[in-house]
Each structure stands twice: as structure tokens, then as C-alpha cells.
């Protein structure tokens, strides 16, 4: 799914902030996140960018606006490149290798971006209403108008 100029990384993260506030902790618990602890900051530059953080505690994930000083790492990249990562137009490896993704702190923190992009793709592939919502959400984030209902 290509990225449009109307795409918005802020829309992606602000939705995660809202969802993790409204979802009980047990529902946001993920087995594949066990063992992750601490805070990772995201600073996305350019149009549609902003600052957010992601806090991990025993497999639970909570997103918030703004960065936190107690983070184990800060990931910096252009908002447009983040959207291209979500749309599978670039890879985490190429962002790192070309210096478009800058990491301050824990060098393993970029795996959080990999997790977010894989989950973004996963919700689009779901069947039924979950998939319909996932594809609608992807269109809103990427600024596209594709209609694909299964």
C-alpha cells in the first residue's frame, strides 16, 4: 500500500495512545513482548511528526504523548520514512544503514519499530470486521483510499 502526502505518523501514534489508555492491561499483554522493560521514545520529524513514548512492563505496552527522560533509548527518523516503513516501501535495515534512523541509547530499541510495522500489517490481513477496521485504519494512517474488504 503506497504512502500518500496525506499520510500521518501522528495519526498512527495518537491512535495507539488512545487505544492503550482504553484497553485493560490484560488485553494489551503480548507473549512476544515478555521480557521487554523500560521506555522507548520516538521523535518523528517533518510533516505529520511529533514525539511519543512507549512503556513496556511485563509484556504490557502503553503509549503516551511526548518523550520521557527515563527512556532506555530514543529513536529519531523523518515521519515520511516511518510511513514508508509501515507501507513496506523501505526496511528497518535500510533506514539504519543509511542513517535515516538514529538511535540514542539501547541499540536493540529499533526492534520496537519492527514490531509496530509487523503488527500494522497483521491487522490489515485479519478477516471479518477486525480486518475491515485494520484496512480502514491503514488507509487513514497512510493517506490512501484503497478499498479492500474481505
Amino acid at each position: 500500500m503506497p504512502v500518500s502526502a496525506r499520510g500521518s505518523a501522528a495519526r498512527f501514534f495518537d491512535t495507539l495512545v488512545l487505544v492503550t489508555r482504553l484497553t485493560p492491561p490484560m488485553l494489551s499483554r503480548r507473549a512476544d513482548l515478555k521480557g521487554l522493560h523500560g521506555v522507548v521514545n520516538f521523535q518523528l520529524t517533518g510533516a505529520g511528526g511529533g514525539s511519543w513514548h512507549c512503556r513496556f512492563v511485563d509484556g504490557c505496552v502503553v503509549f503516551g504523548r511526548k518523550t520521557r527522560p527515563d527512556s532506555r533509548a530514543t529513536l529519531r527518523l523523518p515521519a515520511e520514512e516511518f510511513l514508508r516503513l509501515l507501507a513496506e516501501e523501505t526496511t528497518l535495515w535500510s533506514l539504519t544503514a543509511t542513517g535515516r534512523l538514529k538511535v540514542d541509547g539501547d541499540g536493540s530499541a529499533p526492534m520496537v519499530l519492527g514490531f509496530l510495522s509487523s503488527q500494522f500489517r497483521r491487522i490489515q490481513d485479519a478477516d471479518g470486521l477486525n480486518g475491515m477496521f485494520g484496512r480502514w485504519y491503514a488507509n487513514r494512517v497512510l493517506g490512501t483510499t484503497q478499498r479492500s474488504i474481505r
Side-chain angles (χ1 to χ4, degrees):
M1 188 179 293
V3 176
S4 161
R6 296 183 327 229
S8 173
R11 191 173 294 134
F12 175 84
F13 280 103
D14 287 344
T15 301
L16 291 178
V17 169
L18 179 64
V19 167
T20 58
R21 282 189 185 158
L22 298 176
T23 306
M26 289 308 271
L27 295 178
S28 65
R29 190 173 297 274
R30 299 276 314 194
D32 47 357
L33 294 178
K34 292 257 189 242
L36 279 178
H37 295 281
V39 175
V40 174
N41 289 328
F42 301 94
Q43 291 183 332
L44 304 182
T45 59
S51 297
W52 298 269
H53 68 272
C54 177
R55 188 168 37 103
F56 300 96
V57 180
D58 294 327
C60 289
V61 183
V62 178
F63 284 85
R65 289 188 178 98
K66 301 185 180 174
T67 59
R68 289 183 41 157
D70 61 338
S71 70
R72 59 189 272 179
T74 298
L75 304 175
R76 290 183 182 87
L77 72 157
E80 180 181 347
E81 294 298 330
F82 177 73
L83 292 174
R84 291 185 66 233
L85 178 67
L86 292 179
E88 297 182 86
E89 293 177 3
T90 190
T91 63
L92 196 52
W93 183 87
S94 72
L95 289 174
T96 305
T98 59
R100 292 175 293 182
L101 171 62
K102 298 193 181 356
V103 181
D104 293 335
D106 186 348
S108 66
M111 74 177 196
V112 175
L113 286 177
F115 174 77
L116 290 175
S117 63
S118 69
Q119 293 304 304
F120 185 75
R121 286 188 295 278
R122 189 181 66 82
I123 64 168
Q124 297 172 63
D125 293 337
D127 291 325
L129 287 176
N130 286 339
M132 191 167 77
F133 171 76
R135 289 182 289 280
W136 173 83
Y137 174 59
N139 287 333
R140 295 270 299 147
V141 167
L142 299 176
T144 59
T145 56
Q146 290 183 338
R147 288 178 175 42
S148 144
I149 299 174
R150 291 182 229 172

